[in-house]
Amino acid sequence: MGYRVAIVGATGAVGTELIHILEQRRFPVDSLRLFASERSAGKQLRFHDEWLPVETLHANAFKGVEIAFFSAGATRSREFAPHAVRAGALVIDNSSAFRLEPEVPLVIPEINGATAQQHHGIIANPNCSTILMLMALAPLLTLTHIQRIIVATYQAASGAGAQAMQELLEATRAYLQNEPFEPRVLPHPYAFNLFSHNSPVGEDGYNEEERKIMLESRKILNVPELAVSATCIRVPILRAHSESIHLELSHRPPLPTIREAYRAFPGVQLVDDRARNHFPMPIEATGRDEVLVGRLREDHALPNGLALFACGDQLRKGAALNAIQIAELLTQ
């Protein structure tokens, strides 16, 4: 049985990744419709051996669609997702529009997949940094409780979209050729530089990305009082985010037990070779479905403390792959 599928935001970085992963995982697609803004209308994108036209998004576009993946930003999702639901489609939304709505499941299949069944037409895909962090912590949750999370993220250009990835390439080329370059997508020079995440900063001093990690983690883990503090930084990496995570646990199992839990958990790969000084790197996480985890060690600054480092492909498990895994949960 195949499904009638639509992708909203099909020409963006996550949209094109959705197309690739649907093909790679042989998701049962009977028909695929691609939607984007007016400036992309008329383009063609390949799915399997067929070139499909990109259509302009409009309110009546979802007739006959059964599953609609949205990846065109919160404004578009708020405007058009209700139309898709009224047309009978299940919406899996990659924006921040519905993540904190009480009636909308916020799902990482390996962690809280059962909540997807409670949907009322919309399921939210968490923020990329939240997904990667919680995947890196999930094996620990089989052993102990987490009391406190302190995380610093090193976020790649892919998190800001295809135009930011192109800007990093152009800025790096200009820097190496000693030519001037004026940023157009991001607020600061990107090549050989890093800066605080380019999202609005609230009165409490936390930016929007940091707030997403804190609030979404509490919802996904169903621990409303979980202590989480995040610092999010944009780094000149093309693709794959990294995170340095420090934890306070209710009790700390022995490190060999922790390592075994990581080896056994689906969607995570342990990369923790102290002898070779080989640990997770974004260059090795790029294109991978697994979140790479390593640098496992006791954190002596926290009670029952544990420190680790993780890398994951922002466009795959951090976005498109997680969305498709949600769809797989509900169609198997």
Side-chain angles (χ1 to χ4, degrees):
M1 175 183 175
Y3 293 88
R4 298 185 296 275
V5 178
I7 297 175
V8 176
T11 57
V14 175
T16 54
E17 200 69 26
L18 281 164
I19 296 170
H20 296 327
I21 296 175
L22 285 171
E23 184 173 315
Q24 290 167 355
R25 293 175 74 89
R26 298 189 179 278
F27 187 85
V29 176
D30 182 57
S31 64
L32 179 62
R33 297 181 66 189
L34 307 177
F35 296 102
S37 63
E38 290 183 1
R39 67 177 180 273
S40 296
K43 289 184 178 179
Q44 291 193 328
L45 298 175
R46 188 170 181 172
F47 179 64
H48 289 298
D49 294 324
E50 186 178 1
W51 288 94
L52 303 177
V54 176
E55 305 175 52
T56 302
L57 183 63
H58 56 88
N60 298 317
F62 300 98
K63 184 178 180 180
V65 171
E66 295 173 284
I67 301 172
F69 296 99
F70 273 65
S71 189
T75 300
R76 291 273 178 165
S77 290
R78 291 190 189 99
E79 181 179 359
F80 290 101
H83 292 292
V85 173
R86 283 194 289 272
L90 166 66
V91 170
I92 301 175
D93 182 49
N94 196 53
S95 80
S96 62
F98 308 107
R99 289 174 184 158
L100 300 180
E101 295 293 328
E103 72 280 6
V104 176
L106 183 64
V107 178
I108 302 174
E110 296 90 340
I111 297 174
N112 67 335
T115 64
Q117 303 291 342
Q118 302 166 14
H119 74 84
H120 300 283
I122 299 175
I123 299 174
N125 213 36
N127 173 261
C128 53
S129 297
T130 306
I131 293 174
L132 300 177
M133 183 185 78
L134 292 185
M135 283 297 295
L137 302 185
L140 293 170
L141 296 172
T142 68
L143 303 173
T144 185
H145 296 289
I146 296 172
Q147 308 286 86
R148 185 183 314 274
I149 304 171
I150 302 170
V151 58
T153 70
Y154 310 89
Q155 297 187 217
S158 56
Q163 291 182 341
M165 297 171 75
Q166 186 61 33
E167 178 159 295
L168 176 57
L169 292 172
E170 294 174 1
T172 302
R173 189 177 298 112
Y175 186 98
L176 292 173
Q177 295 175 354
N178 198 29
E179 295 176 353
F181 185 85
E182 189 68 29
R184 300 180 302 276
V185 179
L186 293 168
H188 305 291
Y190 203 2
F192 300 95
N193 189 30
L194 52 83
F195 46 86
S196 183
H197 190 277
N198 52 297
S199 56
V201 178
E203 291 184 2
D204 60 358
Y206 286 92
N207 63 41
E208 189 174 278
E209 187 81 357
E210 293 158 351
R211 197 170 294 108
K212 289 175 184 177
I213 291 174
M214 295 187 284
L215 297 178
E216 292 176 20
S217 296
R218 292 167 183 157
K219 180 175 179 177
I220 293 164
L221 298 180
N222 196 27
V223 184
E225 304 303 320
L226 180 65
V228 187
S229 180
T231 301
C232 295
I233 303 297
R234 187 74 73 189
V235 299
I237 299 294
L238 198 61
R239 180 167 167 166
H241 292 350
S242 303
E243 302 186 356
S244 176
I245 307 169
H246 297 258
L247 305 168
E248 178 184 339
L249 307 173
S250 59
H251 74 278
R252 185 178 59 220
L255 282 177
T257 302
I258 292 174
R259 290 192 179 95
E260 283 305 312
Y262 275 94
R263 292 189 183 99
F265 198 88
V268 174
Q269 180 171 343
L270 185 65
V271 182
D272 196 50
D273 190 339
R274 295 180 180 180
R276 294 176 54 235
N277 197 14
H278 184 191
F279 302 107
M281 293 180 281
I283 198 169
E284 293 185 349
T286 295
R288 297 278 296 276
D289 289 344
E290 304 86 358
V291 175
L292 310 183
V293 179
R295 292 300 320 273
L296 288 166
R297 62 204 188 276
E298 296 180 5
D299 185 336
H300 301 297
L302 293 169
N304 295 314
L306 184 74
L308 55 95
F309 191 77
C311 294
D313 189 313
Q314 179 273 330
L315 294 177
R316 292 187 72 87
K317 184 55 183 173
L321 172 63
N322 196 78
I324 290 171
Q325 287 176 311
I326 292 170
E328 289 172 343
L329 275 180
L330 298 173
T331 56
Q332 290 174 350

